Amino acid sequence: MRMLGVFVMTVLLVAAARGESINVAAAISLREALAQTAGDYEKASGDHVEMTFGSSGQLLAQIKSGAPIDVFVSAAQAQVDELIEKKLVEKSTRQVVAGNKLVLVVPGDAKDAINSFEQLTSAGVKRVAIGEPKTVPAGMYAMQVLKKLKIDEKLEEKLLYGANVRQVLDYVQRGEVSAGVVYATDAKEAGDKVKVVATADASTHDPIRYPAVIVKASAKQEAAKKFLEYVRGEKGQAVLRAKGFAGADDK
């Protein structure tokens, strides 16, 4: 019996040392930044963070279907608004963790490239990639810009829709399109594979902010809260800024 007691105690101590394990679903544009942050957090806390990345719309659908997700970080407010309306997330835990900008990119080796969104209508531009506006926030923001500039209808036949913003980036990197609309951070990750030729004026689209929220069905509420506190804390924000994002409280 004594040996059994020692064994049980050892198991409990090992489990405690491992800490909690949480599942975080985040917009794919955050992939490198949050992967690094999660790794840093694991070392600091002893908790484990399992990351899932995709378009915010796809992740929204997974949460609505009951996927075991503890924390959701969207690239737009609409997805979190819907989850709050359906009472699937804890409204009080909602907080912005980062911001971004929208840019127009062309292949890195493009010659005589365009230098504005308005020039997308020129004959030399054959295909333009943006995210699917209904499920990809970057695509939604892109469409807002095109409509604001009154060139959306002129581009209807040229548009190629990506399943997420990284697919749009891939189209541009491979030279499959003349140009694409992505986040500034995506362009930074791509390095010289793409060239930024214009940045969308902030007045042409909704503010690009990344709201995070804890899923109501999560059994790891405290662990999820600790992770979000870390992301919004000094070390988490430093990583995001190093990757090109605006900070949580930046205007």
Side-chain angles (χ1 to χ4, degrees):
M1 288 295 291
R2 182 179 178 183
M3 290 300 294
L4 178 61
V6 171
F7 174 74
V8 171
M9 182 61 70
T10 300
V11 170
L12 291 174
L13 288 173
V14 170
R18 288 177 179 168
E20 294 275 21
S21 180
I22 61 171
N23 295 317
V24 178
I28 198 168
S29 52
L30 288 163
R31 183 168 61 192
E32 290 78 13
L34 279 193
Q36 181 178 332
T37 301
D40 293 343
Y41 175 74
E42 288 181 336
K43 294 175 184 176
S45 68
D47 288 352
H48 174 65
V49 183
E50 188 70 34
M51 301 294 310
T52 299
F53 297 102
S55 75
S56 299
Q58 293 169 339
L59 299 175
L60 164 68
Q62 290 179 27
I63 295 173
K64 288 166 65 176
S65 296
I69 294 170
D70 302 297
V71 176
F72 175 46
V73 188
S74 176
Q77 305 288 355
Q79 289 76 23
V80 172
D81 287 341
E82 182 173 341
L83 290 173
I84 288 175
E85 183 180 338
K86 294 183 180 299
K87 303 188 187 310
L88 294 176
V89 295
E90 296 289 351
K91 182 178 180 180
S92 62
T93 66
R94 181 179 190 159
Q95 53 195 304
V96 170
V97 298
N100 217 330
K101 294 182 179 180
L102 201 67
V103 297
L104 180 64
V105 294
V106 299
D109 58 358
K111 306 298 182 184
D112 301 319
I114 59 174
N115 56 30
S116 71
F117 282 87
E118 288 87 347
Q119 288 183 354
L120 289 173
T121 61
S122 63
V125 176
K126 304 302 181 183
R127 299 287 274 171
V128 180
I130 68 171
E132 166 54 58
K134 294 180 181 178
T135 56
V136 183
M140 176 192 73
Y141 297 128
M143 189 57 72
Q144 289 175 349
V145 173
L146 301 182
K147 288 183 176 180
K148 185 73 173 182
L149 298 176
K150 299 183 177 1
I151 60 174
D152 54 312
E153 293 184 1
K154 296 177 182 178
L155 294 178
E156 282 182 355
E157 300 302 317
K158 293 185 178 184
L159 293 179
L160 175 64
Y161 299 105
N164 58 60
V165 71
R166 288 303 173 86
Q167 186 175 62
V168 172
L169 187 66
D170 286 342
Y171 287 146
V172 180
Q173 290 180 142
R174 295 196 298 263
E176 296 179 15
V177 295
S178 303
V181 184
V182 298
Y183 295 123
T185 52
D186 297 310
K188 183 175 181 177
E189 283 295 333
D192 60 7
K193 293 179 182 178
V194 302
K195 187 187 306 180
V196 176
V197 294
T199 299
D201 190 297
S203 66
T204 61
H205 59 79
D206 291 342
I208 302 175
R209 310 295 282 164
Y210 290 77
V213 69
I214 296 175
V215 178
K216 188 170 290 188
S218 169
K220 311 285 182 62
Q221 296 284 320
E222 285 304 311
K225 182 179 178 182
K226 281 169 51 184
F227 175 71
L228 284 184
E229 287 174 348
Y230 185 89
V231 174
R232 275 189 56 90
E234 182 179 348
K235 293 181 179 179
Q237 291 293 291
V239 171
L240 284 160
R241 287 195 173 97
K243 293 293 185 181
F245 290 90
D249 298 319
D250 293 352
K251 299 299 183 182

